[in-house]
Amino acid sequence: MKKKLSYTLLTPLLAAGLLLSPLGAPQHAAAATSPVKFAATAKASAISVYVDDKKLSVSKAPYTKNGVTFVPMRELFKALNASVTWEEKAQTIIIRKDYTSITLTIGNKVALINGKSVKLDAAPEIKNNTTFVPARFVAESLGGTVKWDNAKQAVRITTEEYEYEKEFEQLQEELKNRPKYTPQQIVDMYDDSVVTITTNLGLGSGVVIGDRYVLTNYHVMQDASSATVITVNNKQIKVSGVVTYSQNNDLAIIQTDQSIGSTPVEVGYSSLNVKKGDKVVAIGSPLGLQNTVSDGLVSNIIYEGSTRYIQTSAPIDHGSSGGALFDEYGELIGITSAGYTSQADLNFAVSTVYAAMLMEDLPKVPSAKVKFLDPTLPDTLVGQSEDKIAALLKEQFGVFSTEQGEAKMSNWKVTRDSQGWLVITTDMDPVFYTYYGGQNKEGLRTWAINLATELHRMLPDEKIQFQIYYDRIFGFEPRGFDASEVKALGNDKWEVRFPILDMQFKDQLYINMKD
């Protein structure tokens, strides 16, 4: 893999800890069943206990008995950030930390860890009105590590949290010393690792992550039934299908039917280190211009639902979806997925942390049974009722997305007129149309033509008329409209209703939009 740097190797456990809540109980019972005894020659009066490099202040001195070191219960559990309950009548100690529960009984060499019995080398005991517990057993059962410092006659306990903290500090120190690369150097390293993806529906980009694997956006592959990967050297390779995907994170990994021949890009957790103001380089195929390079800054880190996005000023366009976003250290930090054409250069990339997690499901050997995603629209609507057709259109075409936001389409109706035409109507959000309708005529035309294409595929023999209406009620009589567009409702209320778009099609397509 290309340029595998040690500082990018955040372990999956550490990375998940930065994003998610713990997923399950730690398994420490095995370590607890066979504890290593401390030196039996240690004098009880000289024994010290350190937790995370801090000396434990105890009310009664620790001591060694039959090679096992005992420590006062309450001081130890407090230092380990564990809660403790003492059941006087049953002479039982109950310890809890995160997803681990330990039950100890005075004088009993059998403990319970999450309900499972574990044999002890030494039982807890009460001495001088103080409850003592075996230090190694307790610490290791709660996920810590224990060492005996013979020179200082000390027990040294290190918790999992402290180990992670030290690892993270070391990582941050290594990050400070990373080499930086110019855009030209990044292109030299990765230009052959970014590909163009053409499908039967459109165009996108992808990042080579394996001999036959390419990472891209989910929406690039959505509803596609065939696809081709084109390398920077114009090598064309058929796509076998989608191996794994996350629709929520807009990511998919596709498999080609033969070796791509490009150097795979390392995918890790580097995007967690990204900060606003960092320099970035994007490589993709905007408008089909293969492997176009642009640079910019990280403008922001945002969340859409539970998905982390990197907002960047690096320009991208249609066809860039699925392309690569690198930081100035040459690390892949995002998959470019969306952008708005504006002076502010508002563009977005999905954090590669989700791609790293997705790759855990990637088979080492390409599968012979891989297939494309199931289509979101049915093969046919022939024989379906008008109500079912209206419901499907509302679900799949209920929103028209623009740079200014989403325009909702409501009041979907499907009827058949006396001439046998299937007439479909819907109302656009009147506020959105009032403010942004003029800016989005071409986008709305494209959206409507796409709807017509799908409807004709599903209902090839139907004559269909599709109309989008503006419908709003005013508290005054509006002027300048045709008489047919204004209706008096009474009580000083007037309804204005007129078609924004009128589209008719069967073997040919006619479309007309209001000026």
Side-chain angles (χ1 to χ4, degrees):
M1 292 236 170
K2 184 173 292 186
K3 214 176 130 290
K4 184 175 181 181
L5 304 179
S6 61
Y7 48 78
T8 68
L9 297 182
L10 272 171
T11 65
L13 177 59
L14 177 57
L18 296 174
L19 291 178
L20 309 169
S21 300
L23 298 179
Q27 302 296 319
H28 307 302
T33 57
S34 56
V36 178
K37 297 180 181 180
F38 297 116
T41 57
K43 295 180 181 179
S45 59
I47 294 176
S48 299
V49 178
Y50 289 82
V51 177
D52 293 339
D53 294 332
K54 293 181 181 179
K55 188 174 182 180
L56 187 65
S57 177
V58 293
S59 57
K60 299 291 177 64
Y63 61 91
T64 297
K65 182 178 179 181
N66 297 326
V68 178
T69 298
F70 289 81
V71 179
M73 171 185 74
R74 293 195 178 276
E75 289 93 336
L76 177 61
F77 294 147
K78 182 178 180 180
L80 294 175
N81 292 317
S83 65
V84 59
T85 301
W86 167 249
E87 298 286 351
E88 176 71 30
K89 187 174 181 179
Q91 296 283 284
T92 297
I93 309 161
I94 301 173
I95 310 112
R96 294 185 180 89
K97 182 178 180 180
D98 298 330
Y99 291 95
T100 302
S101 174
I102 305 171
T103 302
L104 301 169
T105 303
I106 301 300
N108 191 341
K109 286 189 175 183
V110 176
L112 294 177
I113 299 180
N114 291 339
K116 295 183 178 180
S117 298
V118 179
K119 187 176 180 181
L120 308 177
D121 277 11
E125 55 188 39
I126 298 176
K127 186 176 181 181
N128 298 326
N129 294 321
T130 299
T131 301
F132 287 82
V133 294
R136 181 178 291 276
F137 172 81
V138 170
E140 291 185 347
S141 297
L142 293 176
T145 58
V146 184
K147 294 182 180 179
W148 171 251
D149 186 341
N150 194 52
K152 293 188 177 182
Q153 294 291 286
V155 177
R156 294 191 176 274
I157 300 172
T158 305
T159 63
E160 282 183 319
E161 303 94 308
Y162 190 67
E163 288 180 346
Y164 291 152
E165 182 180 339
K166 287 295 185 183
E167 183 180 349
F168 186 72
E169 289 175 355
Q170 181 181 355
L171 173 67
Q172 295 304 307
E173 190 63 32
E174 291 175 353
L175 290 175
K176 294 178 183 178
N177 301 317
R178 290 182 293 174
K180 294 182 179 180
Y181 299 97
T182 66
Q184 179 62 60
Q185 289 173 319
I186 290 174
V187 170
D188 289 343
M189 289 188 289
Y190 294 115
D191 201 28
D192 73 320
S193 301
V194 180
V195 297
T196 299
I197 300 173
T198 61
T199 75
N200 59 303
L201 297 178
L203 176 74
S205 302
V207 181
V208 177
I209 59 172
D211 184 51
R212 291 173 57 188
Y213 294 137
V214 177
L215 175 64
T216 186
N217 284 135
Y218 176 89
H219 74 260
V220 171
M221 302 307 298
Q222 188 173 17
D223 289 322
S225 58
S226 64
T228 301
V229 164
I230 305 173
T231 70
V232 72
N233 298 319
N234 205 34
K235 180 181 178 182
Q236 299 189 20
I237 307 163
K238 288 185 178 181
V239 174
S240 304
V242 177
V243 185
T244 184
Y245 65 89
S246 171
Q247 184 174 1
N248 289 338
N249 301 133
D250 194 20
L251 291 174
I253 298 176
I254 61 177
Q255 177 183 305
T256 58
D257 65 359
Q258 59 179 282
S259 174
I260 301 168
S262 300
T263 307
V265 176
E266 184 78 21
V267 180
Y269 297 85
S270 303
S271 61
L272 295 175
N273 304 314
V274 171
K275 300 182 295 297
K276 288 198 290 187
D278 287 352
K279 294 180 180 180
V280 292
V281 173
I283 304 178
S285 299
L287 304 179
L289 298 173
Q290 189 166 17
N291 284 35
T292 296
V293 179
S294 61
D295 64 351
L297 301 175
V298 172
S299 308
N300 208 346
I301 305 295
I302 66 170
Y303 284 84
E304 183 72 27
S306 60
T307 301
R308 177 185 174 103
Y309 284 88
I310 299 169
Q311 182 183 329
T312 174
S313 61
I316 63 175
D317 209 324
H318 299 293
S320 296
S321 292
L325 186 70
F326 298 101
D327 63 16
E328 61 183 330
Y329 306 103
E331 297 294 322
L332 182 68
I333 58 171
I335 300 299
T336 52
S337 59
Y340 298 133
T341 303
S342 70
Q343 294 181 347
D345 281 326
L346 304 175
N347 305 303
F348 303 89
V350 182
S351 169
T352 50
V353 66
Y354 307 105
M357 294 178 181
L358 199 60
M359 288 178 67
E360 295 177 8
D361 298 327
L362 203 59
K364 293 182 180 179
V365 179
S367 172
K369 298 181 179 180
V370 67
K371 64 177 185 177
F372 284 83
L373 298 170
D374 293 332
T376 54
L377 292 170
D379 292 334
T380 181
L381 287 176
V382 174
Q384 296 294 328
S385 68
E386 284 82 357
D387 288 343
K388 287 189 176 181
I389 294 174
L392 177 69
L393 293 175
K394 179 181 178 181
E395 178 184 355
Q396 298 296 330
F397 294 93
V399 172
F400 168 52
S401 297
T402 73
E403 295 176 2
Q404 293 80 23
E406 294 183 340
K408 293 184 178 179
M409 303 291 185
S410 60
N411 299 324
W412 287 85
K413 295 179 181 178
V414 179
T415 59
R416 191 174 296 280
D417 66 14
S418 60
Q419 296 178 331
W421 283 70
L422 200 66
V423 180
I424 303 170
T425 61
T426 185
D427 297 341
M428 176 181 278
D429 178 356
V431 176
F432 184 92
Y433 179 76
T434 299
Y435 285 99
Y436 306 117
Q439 303 174 45
N440 290 284
K441 286 186 65 176
E442 290 307 312
L444 184 60
R445 180 190 298 270
T446 301
W447 177 87
I449 291 173
N450 179 54
L451 182 147
T453 300
E454 294 296 340
L455 278 174
H456 180 65
R457 177 183 62 81
M458 294 182 287
L459 296 166
D461 298 324
E462 291 281 4
K463 293 181 293 184
I464 301 176
Q465 182 177 24
F466 173 67
Q467 295 177 312
I468 301 175
Y469 277 89
Y470 170 93
D471 191 344
R472 195 172 193 189
I473 296 174
F474 292 86
F476 59 91
E477 184 177 3
R479 298 188 294 181
F481 292 94
D482 291 340
S484 61
E485 297 174 345
V486 180
K487 178 181 178 181
L489 301 177
N491 297 322
D492 291 329
K493 299 292 182 183
W494 282 265
E495 179 185 35
V496 175
R497 181 174 175 82
F498 58 83
I500 299 169
L501 178 146
D502 181 26
M503 182 169 61
Q504 302 167 31
F505 55 93
K506 186 184 176 186
D507 56 334
Q508 299 290 333
L509 183 142
Y510 162 80
I511 185 169
N512 182 46
M513 299 186 68
K514 188 177 180 68
D515 293 331

